[in-house]
Short mmCIF file of all heavy atoms in Angstrom, two decimals:
data_model
loop_
_atom_site.label_atom_id
_atom_site.label_comp_id
_atom_site.label_asym_id
_atom_site.label_seq_id
_atom_site.Cartn_x
_atom_site.Cartn_y
_atom_site.Cartn_z
N ASP V 1 1.06 -14.01 -6.87
CA ASP V 1 0.06 -12.92 -6.91
C ASP V 1 -1.34 -13.46 -6.64
O ASP V 1 -2.19 -13.47 -7.49
CB ASP V 1 0.14 -12.21 -8.26
CG ASP V 1 -0.58 -10.91 -8.23
OD1 ASP V 1 -1.00 -10.47 -7.16
OD2 ASP V 1 -0.72 -10.26 -9.31
N ILE V 2 -1.49 -13.96 -5.43
CA ILE V 2 -2.74 -14.52 -4.94
C ILE V 2 -3.08 -13.87 -3.63
O ILE V 2 -2.21 -13.65 -2.79
CB ILE V 2 -2.60 -16.04 -4.76
CG1 ILE V 2 -2.31 -16.72 -6.10
CG2 ILE V 2 -3.84 -16.64 -4.09
CD1 ILE V 2 -1.85 -18.15 -5.98
N HIS V 3 -4.37 -13.51 -3.42
CA HIS V 3 -4.66 -12.83 -2.15
C HIS V 3 -4.53 -13.76 -1.02
O HIS V 3 -5.01 -14.90 -1.03
CB HIS V 3 -6.07 -12.18 -2.22
CG HIS V 3 -7.23 -13.10 -2.20
ND1 HIS V 3 -7.48 -14.01 -3.21
CD2 HIS V 3 -8.22 -13.28 -1.29
CE1 HIS V 3 -8.55 -14.67 -2.95
NE2 HIS V 3 -9.03 -14.28 -1.78
N GLY V 4 -3.81 -13.31 0.01
CA GLY V 4 -3.57 -14.13 1.16
C GLY V 4 -2.65 -13.36 2.09
O GLY V 4 -2.08 -12.32 1.75
N VAL V 5 -2.49 -13.90 3.32
CA VAL V 5 -1.64 -13.23 4.28
C VAL V 5 -0.17 -13.66 4.03
O VAL V 5 0.11 -14.60 3.32
CB VAL V 5 -2.04 -13.60 5.74
CG1 VAL V 5 -3.44 -13.12 6.03
CG2 VAL V 5 -1.94 -15.12 5.97
N GLU V 6 0.73 -12.88 4.63
CA GLU V 6 2.14 -13.20 4.70
C GLU V 6 2.91 -12.73 3.44
O GLU V 6 2.40 -12.78 2.34
CB GLU V 6 2.38 -14.67 4.97
CG GLU V 6 3.71 -14.97 5.57
CD GLU V 6 3.84 -16.41 6.05
OE1 GLU V 6 2.98 -17.25 5.69
OE2 GLU V 6 4.78 -16.70 6.76
N THR V 7 4.11 -12.26 3.67
CA THR V 7 4.99 -11.80 2.57
C THR V 7 5.14 -12.88 1.52
O THR V 7 5.40 -14.03 1.83
CB THR V 7 6.37 -11.43 3.18
OG1 THR V 7 6.21 -10.51 4.23
CG2 THR V 7 7.23 -10.82 2.09
N GLY V 8 4.97 -12.47 0.27
CA GLY V 8 5.04 -13.42 -0.85
C GLY V 8 3.67 -13.66 -1.46
O GLY V 8 3.57 -14.31 -2.50
N ARG V 9 2.61 -13.17 -0.79
CA ARG V 9 1.28 -13.21 -1.36
C ARG V 9 0.77 -11.77 -1.50
O ARG V 9 1.37 -10.82 -0.92
CB ARG V 9 0.35 -14.01 -0.47
CG ARG V 9 0.73 -15.51 -0.26
CD ARG V 9 -0.36 -16.27 0.48
NE ARG V 9 0.02 -17.66 0.70
CZ ARG V 9 0.56 -18.16 1.84
NH1 ARG V 9 0.78 -17.32 2.88
NH2 ARG V 9 0.87 -19.38 1.94
N ASN V 10 -0.40 -11.60 -2.06
CA ASN V 10 -0.93 -10.28 -2.32
C ASN V 10 -1.77 -9.84 -1.10
O ASN V 10 -2.98 -9.76 -1.12
CB ASN V 10 -1.82 -10.32 -3.57
CG ASN V 10 -2.17 -8.93 -4.10
OD1 ASN V 10 -1.87 -7.91 -3.49
ND2 ASN V 10 -2.81 -8.89 -5.26
N TRP V 11 -1.04 -9.53 -0.02
CA TRP V 11 -1.71 -9.24 1.24
C TRP V 11 -2.12 -7.78 1.43
O TRP V 11 -3.01 -7.48 2.24
CB TRP V 11 -0.83 -9.68 2.43
CG TRP V 11 0.46 -8.84 2.50
CD1 TRP V 11 1.64 -9.08 1.88
CD2 TRP V 11 0.65 -7.68 3.31
NE1 TRP V 11 2.57 -8.13 2.22
CE2 TRP V 11 1.99 -7.25 3.09
CE3 TRP V 11 -0.17 -6.90 4.14
CZ2 TRP V 11 2.55 -6.11 3.68
CZ3 TRP V 11 0.38 -5.78 4.76
CH2 TRP V 11 1.72 -5.37 4.51
N VAL V 12 -1.51 -6.86 0.69
CA VAL V 12 -1.81 -5.49 0.93
C VAL V 12 -2.34 -4.78 -0.35
O VAL V 12 -3.20 -3.93 -0.26
CB VAL V 12 -0.57 -4.72 1.47
CG1 VAL V 12 0.57 -4.69 0.49
CG2 VAL V 12 -0.93 -3.34 1.96
N HIS V 13 -1.83 -5.09 -1.50
CA HIS V 13 -2.28 -4.57 -2.78
C HIS V 13 -2.44 -3.03 -2.74
O HIS V 13 -3.52 -2.51 -2.85
CB HIS V 13 -3.59 -5.24 -3.19
CG HIS V 13 -3.89 -5.02 -4.64
ND1 HIS V 13 -3.86 -6.09 -5.53
CD2 HIS V 13 -4.24 -3.96 -5.38
CE1 HIS V 13 -4.14 -5.61 -6.77
NE2 HIS V 13 -4.38 -4.31 -6.68
N VAL V 14 -1.35 -2.36 -2.62
CA VAL V 14 -1.33 -0.90 -2.71
C VAL V 14 -1.63 -0.47 -4.12
O VAL V 14 -0.97 -0.95 -5.06
CB VAL V 14 -0.03 -0.30 -2.21
CG1 VAL V 14 0.03 1.21 -2.48
CG2 VAL V 14 0.19 -0.61 -0.75
N ASN V 15 -2.61 0.37 -4.32
CA ASN V 15 -2.99 0.82 -5.67
C ASN V 15 -2.87 2.31 -5.92
O ASN V 15 -3.15 2.76 -7.04
CB ASN V 15 -4.39 0.31 -6.02
CG ASN V 15 -5.41 0.62 -4.94
OD1 ASN V 15 -5.45 1.75 -4.41
ND2 ASN V 15 -6.22 -0.37 -4.59
N SER V 16 -2.53 3.09 -4.91
CA SER V 16 -2.23 4.51 -5.15
C SER V 16 -1.27 4.98 -4.10
O SER V 16 -1.19 4.48 -2.97
CB SER V 16 -3.52 5.37 -5.15
OG SER V 16 -3.94 5.67 -3.80
N VAL V 17 -0.50 6.02 -4.51
CA VAL V 17 0.50 6.64 -3.60
C VAL V 17 0.39 8.14 -3.81
O VAL V 17 0.32 8.62 -4.97
CB VAL V 17 1.93 6.16 -3.93
CG1 VAL V 17 2.91 6.71 -2.94
CG2 VAL V 17 2.03 4.67 -4.05
N ASP V 18 0.34 8.87 -2.75
CA ASP V 18 0.40 10.34 -2.78
C ASP V 18 1.45 10.82 -1.77
O ASP V 18 1.90 10.03 -0.93
CB ASP V 18 -0.99 10.90 -2.47
CG ASP V 18 -1.16 12.34 -2.96
OD1 ASP V 18 -0.25 12.86 -3.67
OD2 ASP V 18 -2.17 13.00 -2.63
N TYR V 19 1.82 12.07 -1.92
CA TYR V 19 2.87 12.64 -1.11
C TYR V 19 2.34 13.87 -0.42
O TYR V 19 1.64 14.69 -1.03
CB TYR V 19 4.07 12.99 -1.98
CG TYR V 19 5.23 13.64 -1.25
CD1 TYR V 19 5.99 12.91 -0.34
CD2 TYR V 19 5.55 14.97 -1.46
CE1 TYR V 19 7.05 13.52 0.35
CE2 TYR V 19 6.60 15.58 -0.81
CZ TYR V 19 7.36 14.86 0.09
OH TYR V 19 8.41 15.43 0.76
N ASP V 20 2.67 14.01 0.88
CA ASP V 20 2.30 15.20 1.63
C ASP V 20 3.57 15.94 2.01
O ASP V 20 4.32 15.55 2.91
CB ASP V 20 1.55 14.83 2.90
CG ASP V 20 0.96 16.04 3.62
OD1 ASP V 20 1.34 17.19 3.24
OD2 ASP V 20 0.12 15.91 4.54
N PRO V 21 3.88 17.04 1.30
CA PRO V 21 5.16 17.77 1.57
C PRO V 21 5.15 18.47 2.92
O PRO V 21 6.20 18.85 3.43
CB PRO V 21 5.25 18.78 0.45
CG PRO V 21 3.85 18.99 -0.02
CD PRO V 21 3.13 17.68 0.21
N GLU V 22 3.98 18.63 3.53
CA GLU V 22 3.91 19.36 4.82
C GLU V 22 4.65 18.57 5.90
O GLU V 22 5.23 19.20 6.81
CB GLU V 22 2.45 19.57 5.22
CG GLU V 22 1.74 20.58 4.35
CD GLU V 22 0.33 20.90 4.83
OE1 GLU V 22 -0.02 20.47 5.94
OE2 GLU V 22 -0.38 21.60 4.13
N ASP V 23 4.63 17.24 5.87
CA ASP V 23 5.34 16.49 6.86
C ASP V 23 6.19 15.39 6.25
O ASP V 23 6.60 14.45 6.91
CB ASP V 23 4.40 15.87 7.90
CG ASP V 23 3.33 14.98 7.29
OD1 ASP V 23 3.35 14.79 6.06
OD2 ASP V 23 2.48 14.48 8.04
N ASP V 24 6.47 15.51 4.92
CA ASP V 24 7.35 14.59 4.19
C ASP V 24 6.92 13.15 4.42
O ASP V 24 7.68 12.28 4.82
CB ASP V 24 8.80 14.79 4.70
CG ASP V 24 9.81 14.07 3.80
OD1 ASP V 24 9.52 13.82 2.61
OD2 ASP V 24 10.90 13.71 4.27
N SER V 25 5.64 12.89 4.11
CA SER V 25 5.07 11.54 4.31
C SER V 25 4.35 11.09 3.07
O SER V 25 4.07 11.90 2.13
CB SER V 25 4.12 11.53 5.51
OG SER V 25 3.05 12.44 5.27
N ILE V 26 4.01 9.82 2.99
CA ILE V 26 3.28 9.28 1.86
C ILE V 26 1.89 8.78 2.37
O ILE V 26 1.72 8.40 3.52
CB ILE V 26 4.02 8.14 1.17
CG1 ILE V 26 4.31 6.98 2.12
CG2 ILE V 26 5.33 8.67 0.59
CD1 ILE V 26 4.96 5.78 1.47
N ILE V 27 0.92 8.82 1.44
CA ILE V 27 -0.43 8.35 1.70
C ILE V 27 -0.71 7.20 0.73
O ILE V 27 -0.53 7.34 -0.47
CB ILE V 27 -1.45 9.48 1.51
CG1 ILE V 27 -1.18 10.61 2.54
CG2 ILE V 27 -2.89 8.97 1.70
CD1 ILE V 27 -1.98 11.89 2.30
N LEU V 28 -1.13 6.08 1.27
CA LEU V 28 -1.32 4.86 0.48
C LEU V 28 -2.78 4.39 0.55
O LEU V 28 -3.37 4.38 1.65
CB LEU V 28 -0.40 3.74 0.98
CG LEU V 28 1.05 4.03 1.17
CD1 LEU V 28 1.77 2.79 1.70
CD2 LEU V 28 1.66 4.50 -0.13
N SER V 29 -3.30 3.94 -0.56
CA SER V 29 -4.58 3.19 -0.61
C SER V 29 -4.26 1.71 -0.70
O SER V 29 -3.51 1.29 -1.60
CB SER V 29 -5.45 3.68 -1.74
OG SER V 29 -6.49 2.75 -2.01
N SER V 30 -4.83 0.90 0.18
CA SER V 30 -4.62 -0.54 0.17
C SER V 30 -5.93 -1.28 -0.04
O SER V 30 -6.82 -1.21 0.83
CB SER V 30 -3.97 -1.00 1.49
OG SER V 30 -4.09 -2.41 1.65
N ARG V 31 -6.05 -1.95 -1.14
CA ARG V 31 -7.26 -2.68 -1.44
C ARG V 31 -7.44 -3.86 -0.47
O ARG V 31 -8.50 -4.07 0.08
CB ARG V 31 -7.26 -3.20 -2.89
CG ARG V 31 -8.56 -3.91 -3.26
CD ARG V 31 -8.54 -4.47 -4.68
NE ARG V 31 -9.91 -4.76 -5.10
CZ ARG V 31 -10.53 -5.88 -4.86
NH1 ARG V 31 -9.90 -6.86 -4.24
NH2 ARG V 31 -11.76 -6.08 -5.30
#
């Protein structure tokens, strides 16, 4: 859990998820 690139590090840090039923999609905030 260290910020850095590549899978296995904290490269994206998604901190919220929302759903849009109009097109069955998700909305993500990435720190």
Side-chain angles (χ1 to χ4, degrees):
D1 195 6
I2 297 169
H3 70 296
V5 298
E6 202 169 12
T7 307
R9 299 187 181 99
N10 195 353
W11 65 273
V12 65
H13 197 109
V14 172
N15 49 45
S16 78
V17 187
D18 200 7
Y19 178 69
D20 189 349
E22 292 186 6
D23 58 2
D24 192 25
S25 61
I26 61 174
I27 298 171
L28 311 178
S29 164
S30 165
R31 185 181 195 273

